[in-house]
Amino acid sequence: MLLPFARRALSAVDDAAAEFSARSALLRGQLRVGSGGGIENTAVPALLGRFRAKYPGIDVHLTEATSAPLVAMVLDGELHAAVIARTDSSPPATISWAPMFTDRLVAVFDGGQFRIDGDPAPLTELAAHPIISYPASSALRARVDAVAQQESAPLRVNYVANDVRMQIALARQRVGVALCARTDPALDDVAPLTVREITPQISFEKVLIWRNDITPSAPLRAFLSLWRDHRTHSPADPQSGLRTG
């Protein structure tokens, strides 16, 4: 019961030390960032690399989880910021967010095992087959379920995996149709599987979140400044968080 309070207390001590070091022009402390899967092909890893090079005195920690736990960790002060999939509902009032990049889901399946005639594949047609998708704690799963409900096409999610590589591995075993993020590097080489767009399109947005009810720590301010500089100098593109070359 006391563990969350202890973690917040230690976090406050780290942030206070970072603030003093920032005022002495030598930035130190910790930056704790969380992320879901699927950021390998985005600017996030490069940003963390640039941050580490620019501020070697800051100890950077990256945690991976699905969206719901990440939001909880930011609210509890365990993380300074996190990259999550945005849901249709508004975030808590104490959370600020900014867009990172947009993506969409596609269907990946063995064409010999599952006959899906539509191209793009209608969600109503996909509902006739076992589905491989994200766990219930993932915002992507919430997005899938919301669109399926709108289309009156309840999905049978028999297999759950947050890692797209695992989703593809299951699709190769012909156990179901995987619904995967299109830009994930795991989809670069999935032959002989079929990759097909879905209608209606299930798009989603990855956003950076942080708390706005407390003063951002010095390391977080530095990270946000670096990220905003990246956005300013990136090409004007709805997927400007994606790697551009």
Side-chain angles (χ1 to χ4, degrees):
M1 294 290 291
L2 296 176
L3 186 57
F5 297 100
R7 286 174 176 164
R8 285 196 290 271
L10 291 173
S11 174
V13 171
D14 289 337
D15 290 348
E19 194 64 37
F20 280 114
S21 68
R23 294 180 183 182
S24 65
L26 181 61
L27 199 56
R28 296 189 180 276
Q30 286 190 355
L31 176 70
R32 299 180 301 279
V33 181
S35 176
I39 66 166
E40 302 92 332
N41 203 34
T42 75
V44 176
L47 278 173
L48 290 173
R50 292 174 200 160
F51 185 85
R52 183 73 179 92
K54 187 173 183 178
Y55 303 105
I58 296 180
D59 191 18
V60 180
H61 295 262
L62 178 65
T63 298
E64 186 174 73
T66 53
S67 294
L70 288 173
V71 172
M73 284 188 276
V74 170
L75 289 172
D76 287 343
E78 295 180 46
L79 296 175
H80 290 109
V83 179
I84 66 168
R86 184 185 176 194
T87 63
D88 292 333
S89 59
S90 299
T94 55
I95 290 287
S96 288
W97 65 272
M100 295 288 286
F101 62 92
T102 58
D103 203 348
R104 65 191 185 280
L105 298 184
V106 293
V108 182
F109 58 94
D110 185 301
Q113 180 71 17
F114 302 103
R115 180 173 178 176
I116 300 173
D117 296 325
D119 188 6
L123 195 61
T124 51
E125 192 172 348
L126 296 179
H129 306 290
I131 296 296
I132 305 163
S133 190
Y134 297 89
S137 58
S138 166
L140 294 187
R141 174 66 177 279
R143 179 70 180 139
V144 169
D145 291 344
V147 175
Q149 184 176 14
Q150 292 172 5
E151 294 297 303
S152 299
L155 300 177
R156 294 183 292 133
V157 181
N158 296 67
Y159 302 89
V160 168
N162 198 53
D163 190 329
V164 174
R165 291 170 300 181
M166 183 61 179
Q167 295 175 356
I168 297 302
L170 290 168
R172 289 191 186 280
Q173 296 305 312
R174 303 187 296 177
V175 299
V177 178
L179 305 184
C180 310
R182 182 65 185 91
T183 61
D184 195 286
L187 269 69
D188 289 346
D189 183 17
V190 296
L193 296 176
T194 298
V195 179
R196 194 166 295 174
E197 298 288 342
I198 300 171
T199 184
Q201 187 178 91
I202 305 177
S203 59
F204 61 92
E205 185 177 39
K206 287 285 183 118
V207 298
L208 179 69
I209 64 168
W210 66 93
R211 285 177 62 176
N212 58 35
D213 61 333
I214 58 174
T215 301
S217 68
L220 176 58
R221 293 200 303 270
F223 179 73
L224 292 175
S225 176
L226 191 67
W227 171 72
R228 289 177 182 126
D229 182 67
H230 163 77
R231 293 278 295 184
T232 300
H233 293 91
S234 293
D237 175 42
Q239 292 183 319
S240 59
L242 292 173
R243 188 175 59 210
T244 55

